[in-house]
Amino acid sequence: MAANFDINLYLNKNVNYNEIIKWLNETKIPYEISEINAIDNWTFENQRIIENDNIKLINKLISEEKIILVYGKLIQKHSFGVMISYKETISEVNIWVSTKQLLYLEDDYISENNIDVYDAIINFIITYFNNKDFLICGIGVETIMGEDRVVDKLIADSYNVSCFILPKKYEVNSLRLCDMKKIDNYFIYFLKKDFEILKHT
């Protein structure tokens, strides 16, 4: 059964829909968006479909702390989606890709099968995002990220995360048993059994 490969980003700013589109375009991966939904909360209260080109409305809903759900395809065949949520000055963005036809992404640890994907994501994040606004990124399969906005607590309450990316300004006690590598202004944390295959030097 297919799972979802997740990239969870937390940023200290209101991330609007224009920025999401810019991120997707920067990856150079062909994609198409088929549907956009807005919901008030995770009980899917007041669920409604938003026109793809109504960017002004989508950004307004994000600012009003509604949850935006984007659905589409990568390379015309791989299901993917984006969740955008803004609350208490912090944006949470979850980008997921179905592993149905990408079985090498189903490993719940970093392996020789998927290291190129992790490496590409890390490269993108540390070169693209402003370190000042960047809070944390968690990557893995069927991940659950904690709801707390305090980084240490958020990490402690997370599950199935194979890799965390953090700005150097954060000291995280809950990751003391993981291996860590410094890359530019970021700390990259891996489970010990995964760390040795990271390509970055």
Side-chain angles (χ1 to χ4, degrees):
M1 186 173 69
N4 286 338
F5 180 83
D6 295 315
I7 304 168
N8 304 283
L9 285 159
Y10 292 78
L11 299 168
N12 287 306
K13 63 179 226 175
N14 183 350
V15 174
N16 61 40
Y17 186 61
N18 310 63
E19 289 182 85
I20 300 296
I21 296 301
K22 186 177 179 182
W23 298 353
L24 293 174
N25 291 340
E26 287 283 342
T27 68
K28 309 299 184 186
I29 300 172
Y31 71 92
E32 56 188 35
I33 292 170
S34 56
E35 184 173 306
I36 299 175
N37 285 196
I39 56 177
D40 288 355
N41 49 52
W42 287 113
T43 64
F44 282 71
E45 185 179 356
N46 199 21
Q47 182 176 9
R48 59 272 199 205
I49 295 174
I50 310 298
E51 294 293 331
N52 291 7
D53 59 355
N54 197 341
I55 294 175
K56 185 176 180 180
L57 175 58
I58 295 169
N59 288 338
K60 180 175 180 290
L61 291 169
I62 292 171
S63 296
E64 293 172 352
E65 300 191 356
K66 308 303 183 186
I67 301 167
I68 301 298
L69 305 172
V70 180
Y71 302 96
K73 297 279 188 183
L74 296 178
I75 323 177
Q76 298 184 326
K77 59 181 178 179
H78 304 300
S79 295
F80 91 105
V82 182
M83 184 282 297
I84 312 158
S85 174
Y86 177 66
K87 187 177 181 181
E88 299 174 1
T89 74
I90 293 176
S91 290
E92 176 186 357
V93 180
N94 167 258
I95 302 168
W96 60 267
V97 180
S98 171
T99 64
K100 185 175 181 180
Q101 294 175 289
L102 300 166
L103 297 182
Y104 59 89
L105 291 180
E106 285 193 347
D107 291 349
D108 56 4
Y109 55 91
I110 302 170
S111 67
E112 292 182 357
N113 295 326
N114 59 30
I115 184 59
D116 287 341
V117 175
Y118 278 88
D119 205 58
I121 294 168
I122 292 166
N123 260 324
F124 184 86
I125 287 171
I126 66 177
T127 57
Y128 187 84
F129 288 102
N130 185 329
N131 189 267
K132 177 174 66 70
D133 297 326
F134 188 85
L135 186 64
I136 187 174
C137 176
I139 309 168
V141 179
E142 295 291 336
T143 58
I144 297 174
M145 298 291 284
E147 296 184 5
D148 202 296
R149 290 305 185 256
V150 176
V151 170
D152 205 21
K153 186 73 166 62
L154 187 155
I155 291 171
D157 292 340
S158 297
Y159 297 92
N160 295 337
V161 178
S162 301
C163 172
F164 284 106
I165 305 171
L166 290 144
K168 282 185 179 178
K169 61 187 174 185
Y170 289 109
E171 292 288 339
V172 182
N173 294 328
S174 55
L175 291 174
R176 64 187 181 278
L177 298 180
C178 295
D179 279 313
M180 181 270 290
K181 194 176 188 80
K182 296 178 183 179
I183 303 174
D184 296 334
N185 292 316
Y186 294 88
F187 289 139
I188 318 296
Y189 289 92
F190 291 86
L191 299 178
K192 288 189 175 181
K193 65 180 180 180
D194 308 325
F195 183 71
E196 64 274 1
I197 61 173
L198 180 64
K199 289 184 176 181
H200 282 288
T201 56

